[in-house]
Amino acid sequence: MTFNNGVEMPAFGLGVFQSSKEDTAAAVRTALEAGYGLIDTAAGYQNEAEVGKGIRDSSVARSEIFITTKLRTRDFGYESALRAFDASLTELGVDVVDLYLLHWPVPRIFENTVASWRACERFLAEGRARAIGVCNFTPAQLSTLMEQTEVVPALNQIELHPFFVQADHSETHRKLGIVTQAWSPIGGIQRYRGDGSAERDPLRHPVIAELARKYGKTPAQVVLRWQLDLGHSPIPKSINPQRILENADIFDFALLPEEVAAVSALDTGHRGGPDPNTHGPT
């Protein structure tokens, strides 16, 4: 995928949210050596150092790896963002990150969100971040940010899966030239916080199960392919080597337009994660 500043990002990557320090380095190395080009971490995940180790332990050159990390909200503010960015580079063991994101908007003190974005603009101008973006911003929050700053975000990373499609967000991003990236892309957030029923698990829905049978794929592969067919960048999380390989085996088929629409029609409108309109510092 090509950002609005011309920087290219692999469309598919590995997320390491909730990956333990003990498991992260091995998962990153496995993913990179399996052909993943993108690794997504965050200061708030407390595993940046392990991501850096996995990168160094792999046989893949740094120039072939796209690294994303994020500024946690407790470090919002111009000066504090400068310090936090330096700390992330140190933890990762790199001089440049490919993409630096604001992890959440903070609506009740949005001036700190704006100040943090201005720090990101500085990192971009200095060449220490090749691109900058945001996570979990609503269309209204994007508009407010852009009214007060200079650089249009390259990407917005949001909760997005068959049970929470957020089509209005994707359409806003398309109009603004912003890449849509999906966290919890197969709906894991619904399973983790649900009651274990099929109604909370996209992978057990009959529509997806039938497509999996048709294409000889797993339900997870069908959902990840759906993300790509919609033009989204999915970053599934796993520490299981077999699952890491399986998740990436989605480039030998594509869903028909009516099948993409059928999966999108599963949208319930119910998010599994925090609400960006009420989220506070963490």
Side-chain angles (χ1 to χ4, degrees):
M1 294 182 170
T2 302
F3 289 154
N4 50 28
N5 69 348
V7 168
E8 293 184 342
M9 179 192 74
F12 182 84
L14 178 76
V16 297
F17 174 59
Q18 292 185 332
S19 295
S20 71
K21 292 179 182 293
E22 294 76 20
D23 295 325
T24 298
V28 168
R29 178 178 177 177
T30 296
L32 291 173
E33 294 183 347
Y36 284 63
L38 164 64
I39 305 296
D40 177 275
T41 186
Y45 301 167
Q46 299 182 45
N47 57 18
E48 288 174 312
E50 289 70 31
V51 167
K53 182 178 187 305
I55 290 169
R56 292 187 296 274
D57 288 349
S58 78
S59 59
V60 182
R62 169 66 183 94
S63 60
E64 300 298 315
I65 304 169
F66 193 99
I67 303 173
T68 299
T69 193
K70 310 177 189 75
L71 178 70
R72 53 188 164 189
T73 54
R74 77 181 191 191
D75 292 322
F76 272 24
Y78 187 81
E79 295 296 334
S80 53
L82 299 182
R83 293 190 293 270
F85 181 75
D86 286 341
S88 285
L89 293 186
T90 298
E91 288 289 294
L92 288 163
V94 299
D95 297 321
V96 176
V97 291
D98 299 284
L99 179 62
Y100 194 62
L101 305 176
L102 300 186
H103 207 152
W104 286 90
V106 182
R108 62 184 178 82
I109 41 174
F110 202 76
E111 61 270 22
N112 279 0
T113 304
V114 172
S116 301
W117 185 248
R118 291 188 174 132
C120 292
E121 292 177 327
R122 174 173 168 176
F123 307 145
L124 181 67
E126 293 172 343
R128 296 200 294 154
R130 297 178 61 228
I132 56 176
V134 297
C135 304
N136 304 299
F137 274 54
T138 67
Q141 290 163 343
L142 278 172
S143 178
T144 301
L145 181 71
M146 291 167 56
E147 287 170 359
Q148 301 180 49
T149 56
E150 299 297 324
V151 177
V152 176
L155 174 147
N156 189 13
Q157 185 184 116
I158 59 175
E159 179 186 346
L160 200 163
H161 47 76
F163 285 1
F164 194 57
V165 174
Q166 300 213 82
D168 59 330
H169 288 54
S170 299
E171 179 60 17
T172 296
H173 300 163
R174 187 190 64 77
K175 291 177 179 178
L176 296 173
I178 296 172
V179 169
T180 300
Q181 190 168 67
W183 66 259
S184 193
I186 60 176
I189 189 71
Q190 293 278 356
R191 297 194 302 279
Y192 302 148
R193 298 187 179 181
D195 56 9
S197 66
E199 289 75 18
R200 294 297 299 268
D201 187 355
L203 301 187
R204 295 165 65 187
H205 195 282
V207 167
I208 293 169
E210 178 56 34
L211 289 170
R213 285 190 290 271
K214 173 183 175 180
Y215 288 103
K217 293 291 183 178
T218 68
Q221 289 169 331
V222 166
V223 173
L224 291 170
R225 185 67 238 184
W226 167 79
Q227 294 276 11
L228 291 176
D229 288 341
L230 283 172
H232 304 158
S233 166
I235 46 170
K237 174 254 178 177
S238 182
I239 59 171
N240 182 301
Q242 181 178 349
R243 188 63 53 78
I244 290 171
L245 295 174
E246 178 184 285
N247 284 343
D249 187 19
I250 57 174
F251 296 96
D252 58 352
F253 79 111
L255 301 179
L256 298 173
E258 59 268 29
E259 294 169 341
V260 172
V263 176
S264 297
L266 304 181
D267 185 23
T268 67
H270 299 304
R271 69 173 69 248
D275 185 343
N277 289 305
T278 58
H279 193 71
T282 56

